[in-house]
Structures are given as structure tokens and as C-alpha cells.
Amino acid sequence: MDTKIIKNKELNIWEALIPVAFLMLFLAYNIFFAGGELFGTYSNQIILVLSGVVAAIMGFLNKVSANTMIKEIWHNLKSVFVPIMILLLVGALAGSWLISGIIPAMVYYGLQVLNPTIFLPATLIICSIISIATGSSWTTSATVGIALIGIGTALGIPVGMIAGAVISGAYFGDKLSPLSDTTNLAPAMAGTDLFTHIRYMTFTTFPTYLVTLSVFIIISLTIETNGNSDVSEILNTIKSTFNISPYLFIVPGVVISLILLKTKPLIALGTGIILALIFALFIQPEIINSLSDSKVTALFNAIFNETSISTSNEKLNELFSSKGMIGMLWTILLIISAMIFGGIMDGIGALARITSVLLSFATSVFGLFASTVISCLGLNLVASDQYLALVIPGKMFKKAFEDKGLAPENLSRTLEDSGTVTSVLIPWNTCGAYQSGVLGVGVGEYFIYAIFNWLSPITTLLFAAFNIKIRQLVSDIKE
């Protein structure tokens, strides 16, 4: 990712923080006092755009041209074009996989294999494996994540817990996979090689993962669910509503195979949609006929509009519904609004100013690590993009790590521990918006259960505080 850092000597730190303060105050008011609807359904989007207007005013007052800000907004919007297309395809995928019986089949067979006692740790491990193989937390959530949400819901497990396990596993794999874009970006910014970076990350990543796994095992052993007694009823209802067959797994198998073969996500997901529609016509004709008198209309609605399949089980009625592409519009508008705000903040030099101030506090080794973590977290909050949360601190702190005699893998590991994994914890960040949109679970619901994600920056700070596995530049100095 080619991202330049715009500096502006005219802008002081207080002016740079005014848009941030405006954003935080209005978001807090909207959440705690307005029930999330200060300006209606699209309150968060409007607040982000208004914060961008405040940032633009700061820019005009400090000799930044409108053209500069517009260029940065456009640069940001171009960077999220593919993610937005993926979101639309995921909406279509959910609808097509529903009417074809793929998601019901996943739930049907999953309920017979997974039970509440092992479900959460199993979910964590399954998503970890898929994410390492594909190198993508987004793909993991859009495929097995959606199915696991359905299975867990049917078992009576709180949806926030399920989403937390899915996201923890997905980001563990994304973080360590050599196929992941962020895993390649972090060492590139810090000045080390990919496999040195991955090996060095394992020191903080595996302890964090083991803690996460242990917590989910404890939760699974102590949780009270209401799904055990009516699993047989659910299975019978699914079987009587859909034509359930192992052949339905051909479609997700093809999609995952295409991803493993490094096919572009748009092509892989598009293939999954087309195949699902074909399967729907031949395997689920009764479902298609029940949705509309026209097969074309039924398929069209599954892709673009809301689709609901009625059963005799109320829990399944909620599960077997999809909003198609139109259901992703709120999330897409949130991403666009965040990119407008982040683009203006970058264009006026506010991001560079805030990061440089953090750098000035890094007088000790621990202070340097802490400043990097805070910078990554802050950029995920303000710039709303995980790539900027890696690129800007990576460029700004690289020389500071060298001056302290620290090997570049210290920086690359810290970038991943605090930039990559925490992006999903912020509702208006591209990652938080995507995951909550795909899984249908709000960030506030899964935040506390995304244990791996919020524990990772804490782990990296503990390692820095106690000087554990802090590699020096001189190669013959033992860790």
C-alpha cells in the first residue's frame, strides 16, 4: 500500500485534536444519551462527516487547500472500493446460500457435531485454521463465520460470544498467515523480512491465543444454554423445510479452494453466488416457489433484497432470513463516511502531527513501545483504517527504534499486535464495520468476547515492560 504521510507545520497539536474531540464527544452522546439515533438511522455516518467538516475548517485556517483534502479523500475512497464490492457480494452470498440450503445444511450437520460444551473453543480453532490457510479474516467470517453464528444461535449460545470466538480465531490466523496483506505490510514498513516477522510475532501471539482459548473453554463449561432440549426439534424442522444433502457443501468447498489458490476474492465469492443459485433451482424448488411465483424474482430478491423463509420454529425464522446486498448499505455508508473523515485528517496533516507528539514522549524503550501502541490504536480510531494504523506509525517510529538499538522486528510485531487486531473493535473502522455487518452482530455485543484482539496490545506492552524477547540490533546479543 503506497501511503504518503502529509505534514503541516502550520497546524499545532490542539488544532489537530479538535476534530477528534468533536468526533468522540458526539459519538459518546449518540451512544449513551440518544440511543444511537441522534440523527436517525445513519447517525454515526453523519457524525463522521460533520467531524470531517470540522477538520476541513482547521485545514483552511492553516493554509491547506480544498484540492489537497479532496485528493486524500479520493485516495481513501479508492482504497476501500474492493472491500465495498466484497461487502455487496457477501450480502448476495448470504441470500443465495440461504435459499440454496447451504447455510441450513451447515446448521443441520453442525448441530449434530458441535454441542455447547465444546462449541466456543471449537469455533476459535476452526476459524484460526481457515484464516491461516486463506490469509484473510474477512473471508473466514464471510464463510465459516456466518455458518458458526447460525449453529451457535440454534444451540442457544449468546451471539456476542460466538462472534467473539469467530473474530479472535480469524485475526489470529490473519496475523500469522504469510498470505495476509497486513502480515506482509507490517515488516515492509518496519524494515524486516516476512518470516523473521512471523517467527518473532509468535512470542506474543501464542500466549495471547492460549489465554483466549482457555477463557472460551471455561465459558463453555460454565455457560447455561437453552438449546439442548430442542435440538431434535430444530433438526426435524430444518429437514422438513429444506432438502438437506452433503452435496450442498460442494459450493463452499469450491469457494475455499479458489481462495486457497489465491483467486481474487471478488471472483471466488461471485462463483459461490452463481453456484448457489444453480443449486437453489435444482435442489430447493419448493423454497423457490414459496418465495415468489417467478423463479427469477425469487433469485433476484435473494441477491439484492430481504428474503425470509418461514418455518414452524421461531428461532429458525430469525436465523433463516437475509437482507441481501441492500442489508450492507448501512455498513458501506459507514465506511465511506469514515474514509471522508480520515482523508481530511490526513490531508490537513493532523494524523502526522498527533503521531509526532506521541513520538516525543518515547524517551525510554518501554515508552517507545507504548507510544507505538497508542499511535496504532489512535489511528484505528481516527483514520478508521487498519492499513493507515500500520503505515503511519511504521514510517514515523522506524528511526526511533533504530536509535534505541532495537531490531526492526520489534516494531513490526508491535504494529500487528496493536494495529491489525484492534481495528475490528471500533464500529466505524472499516474492519469493525465489515465484521459487524457480515456476522450481524454489533461491535458492542462482541467487543468483550473478542479476547484475542483486545488482549494482544496488552501482551506486547507486558513483554516490553519486563524486557521479554526484545531483540537488539546487534545479532550476536542473545534475547
Side-chain angles (χ1 to χ4, degrees), residues 35-103:
E37 295 198 357
L38 178 63
F39 300 110
T41 304
Y42 297 96
S43 293
N44 287 346
Q45 291 87 336
I46 293 171
I47 291 170
L48 281 162
V49 173
L50 290 175
S51 301
V53 172
V54 173
I57 293 170
M58 293 298 105
F60 289 134
L61 294 175
N62 287 278
K63 303 177 182 178
V64 180
S65 68
N67 188 48
T68 298
M69 288 183 264
I70 291 170
K71 281 183 177 178
E72 286 307 301
I73 291 172
W74 178 239
H75 179 77
N76 274 14
L77 290 175
K78 285 194 298 182
S79 72
V80 296
F81 175 76
V82 172
I84 285 173
M85 292 302 296
I86 290 174
L87 271 172
L88 289 171
L89 288 181
V90 167
L93 193 80
S96 61
W97 282 23
L98 172 61
I99 65 169
S100 64
I102 295 169
I103 291 176

Side-chain angles (χ1 to χ4, degrees), residues 376-396:
C376 291
L377 294 174
L379 283 161
N380 265 328
L381 277 165
V382 176
S384 309
D385 183 78
Q386 69 171 345
Y387 297 109
L388 289 175
L390 296 177
V391 171
I392 294 177
K395 289 184 176 180
M396 299 292 287

Side-chain angles (χ1 to χ4, degrees), residues 191-207:
T192 187
D193 66 272
L194 174 64
F195 290 103
T196 297
H197 166 64
I198 291 174
R199 284 194 299 270
Y200 201 60
M201 270 202 301
T202 59
F203 295 133
T204 56
T205 301
F206 280 120

